[in-house]
Amino acid sequence: MSKKLHKPVMFLLGLSLLAAGCSNSSNGNNESASSGTSRDTQTAAEFSYPMPGSMELTLMNEQLGGTPETLPIDEEYAKRTGISIKHLGGTPMTDQKFSLLLASGELPDIFLNTWLQYPGGPDRAVEQGYILKLNDLIDQYAPNLKKTLADHPEIDKMIKTDDGTYYAFPFIRSETGRVYGGPIIRQDWLDELNLEMPETIDEWHTVLTAFKEKKKASAPVTFRTMFLGERTGGFAGAFGVMGNFYVNDGKVVYGYLEPEYKNYLKTMSQWYKEGLIDKDFASIDAATVDKKMSSGDSGATLGWQFYIEKYNAAAQESDPEASFVAAPYPSAAKGTLPEFGQLDNAYAGTSSAAISATTQNPEAAMRWLDYGYSEEGSMLNTFGVEGITYKLENGKPVYTDLVVNNPEKLGSDQVMMKYSHGTNFPMIQQDNHLPSKYPQTAEALGVWKKTNHEAHLLPPITPTAEEADEMSSIMNDINALVKEAELKIILGTESADNYDTFIQQMKDLGIERVLEIQQAAYERYLKR
């Protein structure tokens, strides 16, 4: 696979998303793309990278954990922009540690997080004085982002609130990057047992039963609870339903209220009783799933694309015939598309960079972030460092042996994580056509994208601060109730026939009011 793809990949500089700010000099001068005031134009036109002053800014991300190591991409960004970043680790917006951080008053210059999840919404974060409203700052210091938004109103619509407030530099996924997860299965087991790739929920039952009885798999399918039916359609999509909020024919619905969700849980409960679902699924972590998949304890899971790469690498050390591949999302009937799979909005709110209202240098923060939307910044984020991870041949980037034939046997994605920002970074993501060691990895997205999910996708709406506060207070209890009900029913401690009781409890807690808020916000979004 590596040799096959060691040829010029499609050059992306011509993409109009990043037509702004292209430099004719090696230091990346960025002329203004603004059509605003002459002062704005002059400010942007006189600026060139690297920014003088050797400044340092602090940054926190949304990944729970310690301080990340400094990587070559960090050093290259500092060299090119003139601004170094001190990484402070991170915490998710929904974690209590985030609230404690705000209360401490010791805020980083740049917050990389999911600001759509802020209690009260991004407008409230601005109102409370935690982050800056960026509208005027974009005019002055972010010509690349400004040009992108002017040229692409569909992106502009997604990344602001209803009143037009810009609150963060967004991470915008490429069209290909919107799908990245789904069912994974052992193709070699299917071949050995003379079984077809399962396409329906009944065929999955047949396959998992065979894995248990004939391959002696102790956990025929294993997965973490996050894959039950919320992050992806999982097996729920076969019943025409999914967890959380989505759209049906212009109406916002909450999947857990739908009668089909009860049928889905009833089926999962039966599978668990039959020993087809990992008996430990309610408490296992990613490392445990990995171990079960690579050891032969399990033959199927729900996960992300890169899992296929690592499962094949691990399992083939002891079993060269092992082959993990993507399986289609199951449907209700043969030959029909499932209603749900996994599909993100181009802007899902994740990895979006807000600037602290307490920063001492908002211009430096704006300049550092805006670089990622320039043409030069896009090349760096996509292909890494010229001469190290790629070289240009006939104007097109070609990956070096460091990437496609790594001397330390690292996968191409592992190498590029050190030298680029391929995903989860404030930028417009471009397809890097990164070679994978196993063809099964590259083939996965084409399998998983075959659903009707696009028709149901709720865009990144922004309820008003008051609406968001009200909704948050209601959903805290409902979210806990839903998770409790799911686990009780699947584990068999509660009958699926009692799910109607949980539905009534959700209504008593105010889910119908939440749906009113969501519907109003959705309709406002459509009018932006």
Side-chain angles (χ1 to χ4, degrees):
M1 185 64 177
S2 296
K3 292 181 179 179
K4 182 178 179 181
L5 289 179
H6 194 238
K7 61 183 182 179
V9 293
M10 185 176 295
F11 194 35
L12 298 170
L13 288 182
L15 287 179
S16 59
L17 277 179
L18 290 152
C22 181
S23 170
N24 291 322
S25 63
S26 60
N27 70 354
N29 295 345
N30 289 304
E31 293 188 1
S32 172
S34 171
S35 59
T37 67
S38 58
R39 181 180 61 81
D40 292 343
T41 302
Q42 184 181 21
T43 301
E46 291 179 352
F47 176 79
S48 63
Y49 291 110
M51 189 173 183
S54 300
M55 282 162 288
E56 181 180 81
L57 301 174
T58 55
L59 180 147
M60 291 192 71
N61 61 33
E62 58 189 327
Q63 303 302 318
L64 190 61
T67 305
E69 63 177 309
T70 299
L71 299 173
I73 181 61
D74 300 311
E75 296 170 348
E76 189 68 20
Y77 241 74
K79 182 176 72 174
R80 296 192 186 190
T81 64
I83 304 161
S84 62
I85 295 294
K86 181 179 181 180
H87 292 275
L88 303 178
T91 181
M93 183 75 67
T94 53
D95 195 284
Q96 185 180 9
K97 290 182 179 179
F98 190 86
S99 299
L100 295 175
L101 171 68
L102 296 181
S104 73
E106 298 179 0
L107 309 181
D109 294 297
I110 300 172
F111 281 108
L112 200 65
N113 221 298
T114 307
W115 290 95
L116 291 174
Q117 294 179 347
Y118 186 84
D123 279 326
R124 180 56 56 83
V126 172
E127 175 189 310
Q128 292 177 335
Y130 291 121
I131 63 175
L132 294 175
K133 182 176 180 178
L134 301 181
N135 297 53
D136 291 341
L137 294 171
I138 289 173
D139 286 341
Q140 297 177 60
Y141 306 128
N144 299 300
L145 177 61
K146 184 170 183 177
K147 173 64 174 173
T148 298
L149 300 182
D151 287 349
H152 294 275
E154 73 281 5
I155 294 177
D156 181 71
K157 180 178 181 178
M158 288 187 283
I159 69 164
K160 60 188 178 185
T161 63
D162 291 329
D163 69 359
T165 293
Y166 297 102
Y167 55 90
F169 282 73
F171 168 51
I172 304 293
R173 288 192 177 277
S174 67
E175 187 61 29
T176 300
R178 296 173 62 197
V179 174
Y180 49 83
I184 300 169
I185 198 167
R186 293 260 325 232
Q187 179 67 59
D188 57 310
W189 285 11
L190 293 177
D191 295 341
E192 178 186 338
L193 299 174
N194 198 28
L195 293 168
E196 296 293 327
M197 175 67 72
E199 297 179 7
T200 67
I201 203 72
D202 290 337
E203 289 175 352
W204 267 95
H205 182 267
T206 299
V207 164
L208 294 177
T209 300
F211 285 179
K212 177 190 175 186
E213 295 176 352
K214 298 180 180 180
K215 295 301 299 181
K216 306 304 179 183
S218 60
V221 63
T222 183
F223 48 79
R224 289 177 285 158
T225 55
M226 65 185 286
F227 292 106
L228 272 178
E230 182 176 337
R231 289 294 302 276
T232 77
F235 294 111
F239 296 82
V241 71
M242 183 176 173
N244 222 323
F245 297 97
Y246 53 87
V247 177
N248 275 342
D249 298 324
K251 182 181 179 182
V252 179
V253 300
Y254 189 55
Y256 300 112
L257 293 176
E258 301 299 297
E260 292 82 5
Y261 210 85
K262 174 181 176 180
N263 296 333
Y264 155 65
L265 290 178
K266 183 178 291 188
T267 298
M268 292 300 100
S269 179
Q270 183 62 35
W271 284 13
Y272 184 84
K273 183 178 180 180
E274 294 174 11
L276 305 184
I277 295 176
D278 189 343
K279 68 181 188 310
D280 301 321
F281 86 93
S283 59
I284 56 177
D285 58 13
T288 306
V289 172
D290 293 349
K291 184 177 181 180
K292 293 189 177 190
M293 289 295 289
S294 59
S295 67
D297 288 337
S298 299
T301 190
L302 296 160
W304 310 133
Q305 183 189 24
F306 72 91
Y307 289 8
I308 296 175
E309 194 87 348
K310 67 177 179 179
Y311 291 163
N312 278 310
Q316 288 182 14
E317 288 185 3
S318 57
D319 182 2
E321 299 301 316
S323 177
F324 293 88
V325 303
Y329 278 97
S331 60
K334 196 84 168 177
T336 62
L337 287 178
E339 288 300 311
F340 297 93
Q342 180 272 313
L343 180 70
D344 276 9
N345 283 296
Y347 176 63
T350 57
S351 303
S352 294
I355 297 176
S356 168
T358 61
T359 183
Q360 296 299 303
N361 201 328
E363 179 181 358
M366 294 291 293
R367 297 294 191 188
W368 186 81
L369 290 166
D370 193 53
Y371 179 75
Y373 300 85
S374 70
E375 196 167 297
E376 182 182 294
S378 178
M379 279 295 294
L380 175 60
N381 286 329
T382 305
F383 296 108
V385 182
E386 185 177 1
I388 298 179
T389 56
Y390 77 94
K391 57 184 178 180
L392 289 177
E393 292 184 1
N394 299 319
K396 299 178 180 180
V398 179
Y399 287 115
T400 65
D401 281 343
L402 178 70
V403 178
V404 299
N405 191 23
N406 186 265
E408 298 178 17
K409 306 300 182 183
L410 297 177
S412 57
D413 59 330
Q414 292 175 294
V415 177
M416 292 303 288
M417 283 175 65
K418 298 180 179 181
Y419 290 93
S420 69
H421 294 128
T423 187
N424 298 326
F425 188 77
M427 63 182 185
I428 308 292
Q429 185 183 48
Q430 308 296 342
D431 294 327
N432 58 15
H433 302 277
L434 191 63
S436 53
K437 184 176 181 181
Y438 301 95
Q440 300 97 309
T441 307
E443 294 163 359
L445 302 186
V447 174
W448 290 333
K449 70 187 296 185
K450 295 177 181 178
T451 72
N452 288 325
H453 201 125
E454 185 79 57
H456 302 287
L457 200 58
L458 183 66
I461 60 175
T462 52
T464 67
E466 292 74 20
E467 289 173 336
D469 281 339
E470 182 182 3
M471 189 168 65
S472 177
S473 66
I474 296 172
M475 289 307 300
N476 285 339
D477 291 334
I478 289 178
N479 287 333
L481 175 65
V482 165
K483 298 307 177 187
E484 178 187 5
E486 279 188 319
L487 290 180
K488 281 185 174 181
I489 290 173
I490 295 175
L491 295 175
T493 59
E494 186 88 38
S495 170
D497 293 332
N498 294 336
Y499 191 69
D500 293 340
T501 301
F502 290 107
I503 290 177
Q504 186 58 51
Q505 286 178 289
M506 283 187 267
K507 292 180 178 179
D508 293 342
L509 288 169
I511 187 62
E512 291 170 319
R513 172 56 184 155
V514 171
L515 284 170
E516 290 177 1
I517 293 172
Q518 293 275 54
Q519 185 69 35
Y522 175 58
E523 291 174 4
R524 290 196 303 269
Y525 177 89
L526 296 178
K527 295 176 182 178
R528 287 182 186 175

